[in-house]
Amino acid sequence: MADILDGKAFAATVRDRVATHVARLKEENGITPGLAVVLVGEDPASQVYVRSKGKQTVEVGMTSFEHKLPADTSEADLLALIDQLNADTAVHGILVQLPLPSHLNSDLVINSIDPAKDVDGFHISNVGLLGTGQKAMVPCTPLGCLMLLRDYHGDLSGMNAVVVGRSNIVGKPMANLLLGDSCTVTIAHSRTKDLPAVVRQADIVVAAVGRPEMVRGDWIKPGATVIDVGINRVPNGDKSKLVGDVDFASASQVAGAITPVPGGVGPMTIACLLANTVTACCRANGLGEPTDLTV
Ligand code: GUN
């Protein structure tokens, strides 16, 4: 049976570190880090995430600004709100919850955020900085995955990493982070030929495809580390349950270490969002940025 990588417990330690930095910023500098979250429309999953983000922001001592806009909000109105948040010195981080309603151009909206406040790391300039190995805002989910991997393995250099999924939110930035840690990185996706054989080469598997339990135990090299980014709600009798992109029952028999769903990567994402907000706040105020909140 594989070691379980307990993201829930690890996220709590990250939040403790964040809270310590927030208290210090308040006491020594009179600054309270602020995070603005913008939700357009009423997607139920997004509403749950946004509520959770707001709650945890307040719990670590930061200010939460929530902007809930109707689904038919015009692009001009959304861009005007982002301009206002860009100019607001009490706001150190801005997050626009995705997906946006289809009449809004997500790329345009994301790229209108001040890159220094882009705590999601989705702005084109942060993507470019990460891709060229420069100091960037790093997307929260991949950042959380890398923290878990480093915590378990220490040095990752020379390991074969296979990232399954090529999204801008997880797959691509994850591959860049692993490359930065000197892994040999493969990005696999729905068109990859003989995906099981590709995954079987991996010392590290990151599954981020959004397909319930797709990665099976017989795809996993014995002893490999498996990071499951998937959060899929599936029927379970007359109720439902959450499962990952990995078939935990079979994969945990073969892997050396594995993240559970729920309680693995999920809790790390919001913890890293809070960490990025403190980092952005320190940078905005010309203060030395914490070394224990990023990778
Ligand atoms: N939707 C799903 N994941 C994310 C995320 O990390 N950030 C934002 N803004 N929206 C999301």
Side-chain angles (χ1 to χ4, degrees):
M1 177 70 187
D3 292 338
I4 303 298
L5 301 178
D6 186 346
K8 193 171 170 203
F10 195 77
T13 72
V14 174
R15 284 197 302 275
D16 283 348
R17 281 182 237 155
V18 168
T20 302
H21 287 291
V22 171
R24 181 182 49 81
L25 281 163
K26 284 185 187 174
E27 196 171 303
E28 295 178 9
N29 307 95
I31 300 165
T32 303
L35 172 64
V37 175
V38 180
L39 174 62
V40 185
E42 271 147 32
D43 177 66
S46 292
Q47 285 178 323
V48 172
Y49 288 134
V50 166
R51 204 173 313 129
S52 192
K53 284 168 189 171
K55 180 164 168 278
Q56 294 190 32
T57 301
V58 171
E59 277 169 5
V60 295
M62 304 200 293
T63 307
S64 171
F65 304 93
E66 276 186 28
H67 294 269
K68 294 188 176 163
L69 306 180
D72 62 355
T73 298
S74 72
E75 203 159 83
D77 283 352
L78 180 55
L79 293 175
L81 172 61
I82 292 174
D83 275 349
Q84 179 196 317
L85 297 171
N86 283 341
D88 187 340
T89 54
V91 172
H92 303 97
I94 302 170
L95 178 148
V96 176
Q97 185 66 33
L98 301 176
L100 285 171
S102 58
H103 69 284
L104 298 169
N105 179 339
S106 302
D107 289 335
L108 182 74
V109 170
I110 296 300
N111 290 326
S112 73
I113 298 171
D114 177 348
K117 298 189 178 188
D118 169 38
V119 284
D120 258 331
F122 295 164
H123 188 289
I124 188 88
S125 77
N126 281 315
V127 175
L129 289 168
L130 179 63
T132 51
Q134 302 179 70
K135 198 183 274 289
M137 277 290 153
V138 178
C140 305
T141 300
L143 177 58
C145 294
L146 190 67
M147 283 184 182
L148 287 170
L149 284 166
R150 282 204 191 159
D151 184 58
Y152 185 72
H153 284 287
D155 186 7
L156 307 181
S157 80
M159 295 178 83
N160 282 339
V162 174
V163 178
V164 190
R166 53 178 155 175
S167 71
N168 292 333
I169 293 184
V170 183
K172 287 180 203 164
M174 187 76 247
N176 267 324
L177 285 173
L178 291 164
L179 206 48
D181 269 26
S182 301
C183 292
T184 302
V185 181
T186 303
I187 305 180
H189 47 78
S190 54
R191 300 289 180 91
T192 296
K193 287 188 184 138
D194 200 354
L195 184 57
V198 172
V199 173
R200 230 172 265 127
Q201 301 298 312
D203 305 308
I204 295 170
V205 181
V206 180
V209 278
R211 283 166 165 257
E213 299 177 323
M214 186 181 83
V215 177
R216 325 290 307 182
D218 62 357
W219 299 20
I220 304 294
K221 176 160 95 172
T225 297
V226 179
I227 305 289
D228 189 351
V229 179
I231 302 178
N232 309 290
R233 189 164 285 284
V234 297
N236 183 31
D238 52 4
K239 296 204 177 125
S240 69
K241 63 172 179 173
L242 289 181
V243 299
D245 292 347
V246 177
D247 176 38
F248 184 87
S250 62
S252 60
Q253 299 300 316
V254 187
I258 188 167
T259 58
V261 177
V265 173
M268 290 297 291
T269 297
I270 298 183
C272 288
L273 173 69
L274 304 176
N276 277 350
T277 305
V278 171
T279 299
C281 177
C282 291
R283 287 182 189 165
N285 288 283
L287 302 167
E289 66 187 75
T291 54
D292 60 347
L293 297 182
T294 192
V295 289

